[in-house]
Amino acid sequence: MSNIGSYEERLKGFDWDMAKEILGWEEGELLNIGHICSDRVCARGQADKAALIWEGFGGKKRTYTFDDLRVYSNGFAKFLLDRGLKPGDRICIFMDKIPSLYFSFLGVLKMGGIAQPLFSAFGDESLEVRLESAGTAAILTTRKHVKKVRKILEKLPELKHVIVVAGDESKLKGEEVFFNVEAAPRVEEFDAYEATPETPSVLHYTSGTTGQPKGAQHVHNSIWGQVLTTSWVLDLREDDIYWCTADPGWVTGTSYGIIGPWSLGVTQCVLDSGFTCVRWYEFIQDNRITVWYSAPTAIRSLMRDGVEPVKAHDLSSLRHLASVGEPLNAEAVIWSEDVYGLPFLDTFWQTETGAMMISNYPDMPIKPGSMGKPFPGIEAAVLDLKTHEPIQEPGRVGLIAFRPGWPAMFRAYRNKPDIYRSKFAGAPEDATPDELRTNPDLWYVSGDRASIDADGYYWFVGRDDDVINTGGHLVGPFEIESALVEHEAIAEAAAIGKPDEVNMEVVKVFVSLKPGFEPSGDLELSIMNFIRKKLSPLAMPQEIEYMEKLPKTRSGKILRRYLRALEWGEDVGDLTTLEDD
Ligand code: ATP
Ligand code: MG
């Protein structure tokens, strides 16, 4: 039986303290995420268990135990304090997925700092925007990436420490300091910072899919949400070998790529090399991975490469798959069940929510294309677009919203109190962030739309900004895109509204084709008819544009706002998050 067992039973008498029971946590124990993910696991007899199985480019491979995690995170914590950094300082972690990323993340938390992980492929401009916004005091990076920091250092007066943690020590400049934790003396003892539940922990910037990225501030109390969802949704157990493909520059890579699995003492694998389908399958095969948490964009790429590479590998160790980041097309769920013998379970959440909010569960029947049901303990609804009252009729589309107050909820948008307030429907003008977060009469409005069916399953429609208004009818892009990827020629698709004099908007789609297919008049007709028959004449694209690759954010999300702006002749806005390789 799965950890969650019966979803229905879990709804009854739910209490977030069940997370504490899972960890055997007693009141009065030290609440510090860095400590719980390393020291505490060792103290419970798992010091010699593998925590991190790491592979880099060229097949480089290392394994680290929980004791290594403990000692190396101590090393970072002590080093940072010795440099004069203090609890509450924002400390940016800007590196590839090398082991020191993981050690330093825990180390920053252990010394009471606020970890600000940023995706290493960001260029200097993307980096500057986020360091400026955070008032970052120190950046931990590598020789490979320090060049980008050098370019912007003068413009960031608050950034006092540039610490290079890997690469060639001899080529540093100015005030840069070198610190290789594995070569430094071992720090066996370190008293982790006595955090309270409300002590800030991680500052995560959103993906920037809809506009300027926002800095969502999280706190140490988030761990209870992460522990319980990791246990009940990802179903992690003692003997699992777990792989979360997300980069810790995004919230999935920390909530479920560090905090969830390691607080539970689970072994996890990290692959720090580029994506190819064969490389991924080899990684699963070689490490006997059992639980795999990934994203629709990767799954669609695997689908594009077809079933042959699957057959060429032994993937029999897999027992549970889940997905997050974008809507998961029904086609992808059915395909994975066909080829891996396991469906990907969709999970819906955001940087702001810190943990899964709506999800499919191991023992609950799946409806492919649905996001599933609210996590026990989360009160969710879809709200009427105008009145903000919860919609009662099944199938009617509204705004996905949650009652505030769950443990992993963000506590602020850095420097943007008004935007934070605007996320709460019915918020009084003068409410403080704490009042907003704890007011049980408010709704936190996610910015996404969905409907709920008669069985209580949620169906994603699109982001508020992406919904297409054609002839007075609202059409969700997800439905069109999901239908498009069922067409034999199409690998990926994005649907947007294009200005139209008669209908206000009409549907325009951008598609990339599977290997072996070429654009042609016949194909165009076939795609249009396919959608007309499957959905409706309203949803039928009036225009199809072929693209080699769709524009995406660095975290792999299709950037519809970019396509839309080009179509409407508008300013494309902040593009610091656009993937450009
Ligand atoms: P920004 O807020 O800067 O525009 P973003 O919303 O893409 O960027 P994230 O917090 O990384 O930043 O992503 C959360 C969003 O991703 C959700 O609000 C939703 O639009 C989308 N999303 C995540 N998981 C799912 C899912 N399972 N189904 C549908 N959409 C999802
Ligand atoms: Mg968002």
Side-chain angles (χ1 to χ4, degrees):
M1 192 163 88
S2 63
N3 291 342
I4 187 169
S6 152
Y7 171 79
E8 309 300 331
E9 286 301 311
R10 292 297 193 183
L11 292 176
K12 297 181 199 153
F14 175 86
D15 190 335
W16 285 108
D17 280 349
M18 290 166 143
K20 299 182 179 168
E21 281 164 35
I22 290 176
L23 290 195
W25 168 274
E26 307 280 343
E27 278 318 320
E29 274 193 56
L30 179 55
L31 176 69
N32 177 310
I33 293 175
H35 162 80
I36 294 175
C37 291
S38 58
D39 312 343
R40 192 174 185 278
V41 179
C42 295
R44 291 167 64 83
Q46 293 180 298
D48 297 330
K49 180 176 177 180
L52 173 64
I53 298 173
W54 177 87
E55 262 183 66
F57 280 96
K60 244 188 289 168
K61 195 165 172 170
R62 297 289 308 268
T63 298
Y64 299 90
T65 62
F66 277 98
D67 197 52
D68 295 330
L69 267 195
R70 183 184 71 76
V71 169
Y72 294 144
S73 56
N74 282 350
F76 270 107
K78 178 170 185 306
F79 175 81
L80 293 168
L81 286 182
D82 289 350
R83 301 293 311 166
L85 286 150
K86 295 180 301 302
D89 282 342
R90 273 77 58 211
I91 301 175
C92 173
I93 301 171
F94 183 58
M95 56 190 87
D96 299 344
K97 287 189 276 184
I98 58 173
S100 273
L101 186 162
Y102 298 85
F103 305 148
S104 62
F105 181 84
L106 299 182
V108 168
L109 297 177
K110 275 185 169 178
M111 54 74 72
I114 302 178
Q116 183 194 5
L118 290 178
F119 187 45
S120 64
F122 276 147
D124 52 295
E125 199 185 315
S126 308
L127 189 61
E128 184 190 337
V129 172
R130 291 158 179 83
L131 296 178
E132 228 254 287
S133 144
T136 308
I139 185 164
L140 298 163
T141 188
T142 57
R143 260 300 282 135
K144 179 172 162 199
H145 294 293
V146 74
K147 297 189 273 299
K148 295 185 262 191
V149 183
R150 286 176 189 159
K151 273 198 190 162
I152 55 175
L153 195 57
E154 275 194 359
K155 293 188 262 180
L156 298 166
E158 287 176 86
L159 185 60
K160 298 270 193 285
H161 306 261
V162 178
I163 300 154
V164 175
V165 305
D168 182 356
E169 182 176 0
S170 65
K171 293 196 181 140
L172 300 191
K173 294 197 175 153
E175 313 263 290
E176 291 162 8
V177 198
F178 188 78
F179 179 64
N180 176 346
V181 73
E182 293 185 56
R186 287 169 69 84
V187 179
E188 289 292 342
E189 299 295 330
F190 182 86
D191 290 332
Y193 180 76
E194 304 247 352
T196 71
E198 291 302 307
T199 301
S201 55
V202 187
L203 177 64
H204 258 303
Y205 281 77
T206 59
S207 298
T209 315
T210 51
Q212 266 284 343
K214 301 166 289 280
Q217 182 61 66
H218 291 279
V219 295
H220 282 266
N221 198 49
S222 71
I223 193 167
W224 304 122
Q226 289 144 357
V227 163
L228 206 56
T229 48
T230 301
S231 173
W232 288 3
V233 181
L234 297 176
D235 201 41
L236 287 190
R237 326 230 175 112
E238 280 271 329
D239 55 353
D240 272 314
I241 307 284
Y242 166 68
W243 184 27
C244 170
T245 60
D247 189 289
W250 313 114
V251 68
T252 307
T254 58
S255 288
Y256 299 102
I258 298 181
I259 304 171
W262 280 345
S263 56
L264 289 161
V266 170
T267 303
Q268 64 164 331
C269 299
V270 168
L271 178 60
D272 182 29
S273 73
F275 172 87
T276 70
C277 147
V278 167
R279 189 74 197 87
W280 275 33
Y281 290 148
E282 274 171 8
F283 192 64
I284 294 172
Q285 172 179 278
D286 295 350
N287 293 296
R288 304 292 300 155
I289 286 165
T290 56
V291 179
W292 180 19
Y293 194 25
S294 198
T297 183
I299 299 165
R300 287 190 300 261
S301 295
L302 296 168
M303 287 169 75
R304 183 199 296 237
D305 288 330
V307 62
E308 287 313 315
V310 180
K311 287 194 192 139
H313 293 87
D314 175 8
L315 307 182
S316 60
S317 54
L318 290 172
R319 71 165 183 89
H320 187 49
L321 319 180
S323 162
V324 66
E326 280 193 299
L328 183 64
N329 317 100
E331 180 73 3
V333 178
I334 295 162
W335 185 83
S336 81
E337 190 146 30
D338 257 13
V339 303
Y340 307 129
L342 298 164
F344 271 97
L345 264 56
D346 193 13
T347 67
F348 169 91
W349 55 292
Q350 308 177 301
T351 308
E352 291 87 341
T353 69
M356 297 164 183
M357 300 299 277
I358 299 173
S359 178
N360 288 280
Y361 306 90
D363 282 322
M364 191 177 86
I366 291 176
K367 299 191 186 190
S370 160
M371 310 193 291
K373 297 188 181 185
F375 188 77
I378 298 293
E379 186 184 345
V382 300
L383 306 183
D384 182 272
L385 301 176
K386 291 208 178 80
T387 65
H388 286 170
E389 287 299 318
I391 292 173
Q392 306 300 340
E393 316 93 273
R396 187 147 77 78
V397 174
L399 308 166
I400 304 175
F402 305 104
R403 288 284 190 212
W406 65 94
M409 183 178 181
F410 73 138
R411 300 309 201 247
Y413 281 132
R414 174 112 193 140
N415 298 335
K416 294 188 161 104
D418 294 342
I419 301 187
Y420 184 75
R421 184 173 307 107
S422 73
K423 300 289 284 190
F424 295 84
E429 275 288 309
D430 53 352
T432 63
D434 268 351
E435 285 163 0
L436 293 168
R437 183 176 60 80
T438 51
N439 185 339
D441 296 329
L442 300 182
W443 290 102
Y444 163 77
V445 183
S446 68
D448 293 298
R449 294 188 191 187
S451 65
I452 310 175
D453 71 15
D455 300 324
Y457 284 72
Y458 283 61
W459 296 81
F460 188 79
V461 170
R463 293 168 183 261
D464 279 357
D465 305 352
D466 291 339
V467 171
I468 303 164
N469 186 342
T470 175
H473 298 270
L474 295 179
V475 183
F478 176 53
E479 192 182 24
I480 303 174
E481 292 162 7
S482 283
L484 285 167
V485 298
E486 286 178 41
H487 189 283
E488 56 169 5
I490 297 178
E492 277 203 295
I496 62 156
K498 178 187 159 82
D500 181 80
E501 276 187 8
V502 180
N503 289 306
M504 192 155 125
E505 293 182 1
V506 289
V507 176
K508 169 164 183 182
V509 301
F510 299 80
V511 298
S512 70
L513 298 180
K514 285 189 182 154
F517 290 92
E518 291 295 330
S520 73
D522 281 354
L523 178 60
E524 192 150 310
L525 274 181
S526 139
I527 294 173
M528 285 179 171
N529 274 325
F530 189 75
I531 297 299
R532 191 166 54 85
K533 280 206 213 110
K534 257 187 127 40
L535 302 178
S536 73
L538 270 178
M540 187 179 83
Q542 302 295 314
E543 202 178 315
I544 298 175
E545 188 168 326
Y546 299 96
M547 295 182 117
E548 192 63 35
K549 252 176 98 185
L550 299 180
K552 297 212 179 114
T553 63
R554 286 269 173 207
S555 58
K557 295 166 198 265
I558 296 173
L559 255 182
R560 290 181 200 78
R561 82 170 150 92
Y562 175 67
L563 296 168
R564 210 182 124 87
L566 292 181
E567 215 54 55
W568 289 69
E570 290 167 355
D571 178 15
V572 292
D574 180 56
L575 284 185
T576 57
T577 190
L578 184 70
E579 175 190 69
D580 52 14
D581 46 314

